[in-house]
Amino acid sequence: MSIGETVNLVNNIEELEKRIDYRFENKTILETAITHSSYIKEHCKGGKSNERLEFLGDAFFDAIIGEELFSVFTDKEEGFLSQLRAVLVCEDSLAKAATRLEIGEFLKLGKGEAKNGGRHRKSILADALEAIMGAVYLDGGFEEVKRVVLGIFADDVRDVEIGKITSEDYKTNLQEILQKNGNIDIKYEVIKQEGPDHDKTFTVRLFINGEPETTGVGKSKKKAEQKAAKHMMEKL
């Protein structure tokens, strides 16, 4: 790495720290958090990408947002809280937060990934934000990652409290509508899987009484099923 590249990296790290409101003792771990696997394949095979940190950060998002919702909605049951947490900690929500922080401009991507719009891809942005939170935990501990996560999602939690953001279980809603007039057969079938194991995309088709109706695409089977049900609700 040249002197100029080193200076740029330091400047980028400092700016990213400002964005997330956390200063790292170990800058290297933040550098790892913003390094996509495509960069490792092109530049430094055997180096570390952000995939392990992403796994760690994902767990803390669930725990921290779950605890916050538990405190906010003292009279709600587990099902309601789980659905609401899924809305706040889904790929779309994380990607929106990463976009607000302009995380994409700091990512170390392979040339091909960067050329193909990787800095704006939802899955990459969401994964990077999770990885950065995993890095914050390893560098500063649970209380710090909790502070950072709740700072980033303060507006979202406020929107939840006032009802601007609600849980949407399209599958259940669709089932209730369709089965009001008798027993109707509703099935979801995965018709396509794309991408590597750590970044798969699923396409699901919804069948009603054996007839294909709508399709949905998501980063998990459940998300794809919800999209298919949502499209059917819109169709109805």
Side-chain angles (χ1 to χ4, degrees), residues 115-126:
K115 186 177 180 181
N116 291 325
R119 297 188 188 282
H120 306 287
R121 185 165 294 140
K122 285 183 180 181
S123 60
I124 290 178
L125 289 172

Side-chain angles (χ1 to χ4, degrees), residues 11 17 19 30 34 36 81 88 92-93 98 108 113 119 123 130 132 134 139 143 157 162 183 193-194 199 213 233:
N11 289 340
E17 288 176 324
R19 300 275 176 93
L30 178 55
I34 58 175
H36 189 254
L81 296 174
L88 289 181
D92 282 354
S93 178
K108 296 171 70 176
E113 190 65 67
R119 297 188 188 282
S123 60
E130 288 176 338
I132 291 168
D139 190 75
E143 290 303 320
V157 172
I162 64 177
N183 189 30
Q193 296 183 41
E194 296 178 299
D199 190 25
E213 292 289 347
M233 293 277 288

Side-chain angles (χ1 to χ4, degrees), residues 20-195:
I20 65 173
D21 190 27
Y22 179 78
R23 183 169 292 278
F24 281 80
E25 291 291 329
N26 181 359
K27 310 291 185 184
T28 301
I29 196 170
L30 178 55
E31 184 181 349
T32 300
I34 58 175
T35 302
H36 189 254
S37 57
S38 62
Y39 182 90
I40 297 297
K41 290 175 183 175
E42 286 187 15
H43 295 277
C44 47
K45 292 181 179 178
K48 291 183 179 180
S49 74
N50 63 5
E51 289 174 0
R52 280 173 54 83
L53 288 171
E54 171 202 333
F55 165 80
L56 187 60
D58 176 57
F60 283 111
F61 267 115
D62 274 349
I64 292 165
I65 296 299
E67 181 187 31
E68 188 69 7
L69 293 175
F70 183 86
S71 300
V72 170
F73 296 99
T74 57
D75 60 340
K76 295 296 184 181
E77 298 299 322
E78 182 267 345
F80 173 88
L81 296 174
S82 294
Q83 289 178 24
L84 203 51
R85 181 179 62 185
V87 172
L88 289 181
V89 193
C90 69
E91 181 183 282
D92 282 354
S93 178
L94 294 176
K96 285 178 183 176
T99 300
R100 289 197 301 269
L101 296 167
E102 297 181 308
I103 297 295
E105 70 180 66
F106 300 99
L107 298 180
K108 296 171 70 176
L109 303 174
K111 292 180 181 178
E113 190 65 67
K115 186 177 180 181
N116 291 325
R119 297 188 188 282
H120 306 287
R121 185 165 294 140
K122 285 183 180 181
S123 60
I124 290 178
L125 289 172
D127 291 348
L129 186 60
E130 288 176 338
I132 291 168
M133 293 308 107
V136 171
Y137 168 73
L138 291 179
D139 190 75
F142 181 75
E143 290 303 320
E144 279 300 296
V145 73
K146 180 179 178 180
R147 179 186 64 79
V148 174
V149 166
L150 293 181
I152 292 172
F153 279 84
D155 289 341
D156 300 89
V157 172
R158 197 175 301 115
D159 286 344
V160 164
E161 288 188 71
I162 64 177
K164 191 174 179 180
I165 294 178
T166 60
S167 62
E168 293 287 359
D169 186 351
Y170 294 105
K171 286 179 65 178
T172 299
N173 293 341
L174 178 63
Q175 183 174 333
E176 290 175 353
I177 290 172
L178 292 177
Q179 295 188 343
K180 278 182 179 179
N181 299 319
N183 189 30
I184 293 179
D185 182 47
I186 303 171
K187 288 184 179 179
Y188 297 87
E189 181 180 314
V190 176
I191 59 174
K192 186 165 61 174
Q193 296 183 41
E194 296 178 299

Side-chain angles (χ1 to χ4, degrees), residues 214-232:
T214 55
T215 58
V217 179
K219 301 306 292 184
S220 70
K221 294 177 185 177
K222 289 183 178 179
K223 290 177 181 177
E225 289 172 355
Q226 288 285 355
K227 290 282 183 68
K230 180 181 179 182
H231 293 157
M232 189 64 200

